[in-house]
Amino acid sequence: MQLLHAPSWPHLSFQTSDRNSKGGLLSLEKCLQLSTANCSFQPQKLERSIWVSHKRNFFSFCATKATSVEAGSSAASSGTAEGDVLKALSQIIDPDFGTDIVTCGFVKDLLIDEASGEVSFRLELTTPACPIKDMFEQQANEVVARLPWVKKVAVTMSAQPAKPIFAGDLPAGLRRISNIVAVSSCKGGVGKSTVAVNLAYTLAGMGARVGVFDADVYGPSLPTMVSPENRLLEMNPEKRTIIPTDYLGVKLVSFGFAGQGRAIMRGPMVSGVIDQLLTTSEWGELDYLVIDMPPGTGDIQLTLCQVVPLTAAVIVTTPQKLAFIDVAKGVRMFSKLKVPCVAVVENMSHFDADGKRYYPFGRGSGSQVVQQFGIPHLFDLPIRPTLSASGDSGTPEVVADPQGEVAQTFQNLGVCVVQQCAKIRQQVSTAVTYDKSIKAIRVKVPDSEEEFLLHPATVRRNDHSAQSVDEWTGEQKLQYGDIPEDIEPEEIRPMGNYAVSITWPDGFSQIAPYDQLQMIERLVDVPQPTAVQS
């Protein structure tokens, strides 16, 4: 399955009127006209504010570094000294992934002077505020200093924010977003928008750069739940892009901010509008973009899931059996589209009175979702008048009462989302790699303990695209002898959570789904490792 793009349905038109030609940003309402005029003025810049900063260190711990394997890890085979140092550093385990820092790719710029016994290197984390930074530095000094020939160790700490692992294949507006999280229920009225907004502001309070996209065009909730000073989306007339509005440091895009209220249009047109709102917005650099999904499993949901590489999904339900039936459809949709569901939120679960806990709508819907579909985490939200009132007042509950019970539940949900997204990123970035020392492709599909090897030529010969197989007749156009036995991939990049893109020396870019790779003939006689030239 390849990433699909929305069809060319009528899009939002970007235009100005004569009275706006003096300069300044245009409201999106002005841009939703039938004709287009030329614009030549500069956009204003929106300032970003953070409403909570005291939890940044905690977020940094949870968001610990998911990066690709550092090329220097192969140095172990090119020199004894380098191998000794990397072996020593591999004793240091990242607490989030349970993987050593060498495999995680944190070791950079390794320099060794064997004559003087001096070793220097850099540990690159994804945030300068990581609270375990000092622990990493201390452990790195200790394990390397134990080597008998080492006289002096110099460790430098740095930070490089995690980058999207398949940014090159995305629309320009989404290329600097590290994680895209869908909040979905597939049933209306269960509090999905409440969960999406409060999760977003929880992540912002933990120190992340966050955006919220309200994907419900028929009944957008975001304008009611937040109170930005500027309640109209604006346009950059030169770039023809949408500038999100801002509330308490979180970037916001909703059709409700387009001056249109609620849409009255057919499904295909809605899919085109959502695609344009999402992909042409200037989101900038975000750690998390939270998408408030509309109810259902139709065109709009499929468009979002296929156009946008969702990192993970959070499922919202209520205790009733009817809610479970509808939610199960959504979970199956995400499963087919290879989007991991990382948490279930059971809203309106219970209330406390007279020292007792009551479950007025019954129990078990959330637990049933967790058990039936293997989703690892379940969070219960109580029936709380303040939670409902905050959604209507324009101030999210986690902002209005950051120390309350509801805020604590969202804090736990936020930690879960951060940790699971980091693990998913790490799994995806290392799922398919090329091992030059044995000239084989290593495959370890996410959520699978099995690792196997494939011959590069076999992978290339098993391409099923139109360039290799006639789509009408099924005739194999790519012949066995067309591919040299010693072919090696030039680059392997993730394509969402379900496939990789492999670039070959002849310039061909092959899309290889994990399911297909698992069906290819595997290497049994593993070749002996050979020295790899740096």
Side-chain angles (χ1 to χ4, degrees), residues 65-70 94 97 99-106 426:
K65 26 317 128 189
T67 59
S68 61
V69 177
E70 168 65 11
D94 179 273
F97 304 135
T99 305
D100 66 88
I101 62 173
V102 176
T103 302
C104 287
F106 302 160
Q426 193 269 345

Side-chain angles (χ1 to χ4, degrees), residues 218-328:
Y218 293 119
S221 302
L222 199 57
T224 303
M225 305 190 74
V226 295
S227 305
E229 182 177 349
N230 183 5
R231 298 188 65 84
L232 285 177
L233 293 174
E234 296 173 319
M235 297 295 302
N236 182 328
E238 292 187 346
K239 296 181 180 179
R240 301 175 68 84
T241 54
I242 300 169
I243 298 179
T245 189
D246 180 280
Y247 178 59
L248 299 177
V250 175
K251 295 181 178 180
L252 310 167
V253 172
S254 171
F255 191 76
F257 291 136
Q260 301 291 305
R262 287 161 167 75
I264 302 176
M265 61 180 74
R266 293 186 181 275
M269 294 180 64
V270 172
S271 297
V273 169
I274 287 178
D275 184 18
Q276 191 174 14
L277 280 172
L278 177 60
T279 61
T280 63
S281 291
E282 293 184 10
W283 294 107
E285 291 188 2
L286 294 180
D287 297 303
Y288 298 92
L289 175 63
V290 177
I291 298 183
D292 181 6
M293 299 280 286
T297 54
D299 290 341
I300 299 173
Q301 292 76 14
L302 292 175
T303 296
L304 286 167
C305 291
Q306 293 179 320
V307 171
V308 180
L310 297 174
T311 308
V314 173
I315 306 300
V316 183
T317 185
T318 52
Q320 296 95 329
K321 181 179 179 180
L322 183 60
F324 168 79
I325 294 173
D326 288 343
V327 166

Side-chain angles (χ1 to χ4, degrees), residues 180-210:
I180 302 178
V181 180
V183 178
S184 176
S185 67
C186 297
K187 180 175 178 61
V190 299
K192 170 182 50 58
S193 297
T194 298
V195 172
V197 170
N198 281 278
L199 171 61
Y201 280 90
T202 297
L203 294 171
M206 294 163 67
R209 297 165 297 180
V210 183

Side-chain angles (χ1 to χ4, degrees), residues 84-99:
D84 288 346
V85 172
L86 291 173
K87 184 177 181 180
L89 291 173
S90 65
Q91 302 175 56
I92 304 174
I93 306 299
D94 179 273
D96 280 344
F97 304 135
T99 305

Side-chain angles (χ1 to χ4, degrees), residues 349-385:
S349 173
H350 60 266
F351 69 90
D352 296 328
D354 302 326
K356 296 181 180 180
R357 176 156 293 184
Y358 298 89
Y359 297 86
F361 303 120
R363 305 178 64 175
S365 175
S367 300
Q368 192 173 356
V369 174
V370 170
Q371 294 170 5
Q372 182 165 330
F373 297 102
I375 301 174
H377 303 285
L378 173 64
F379 300 89
D380 295 335
L381 284 175
I383 300 173
R384 188 67 57 84

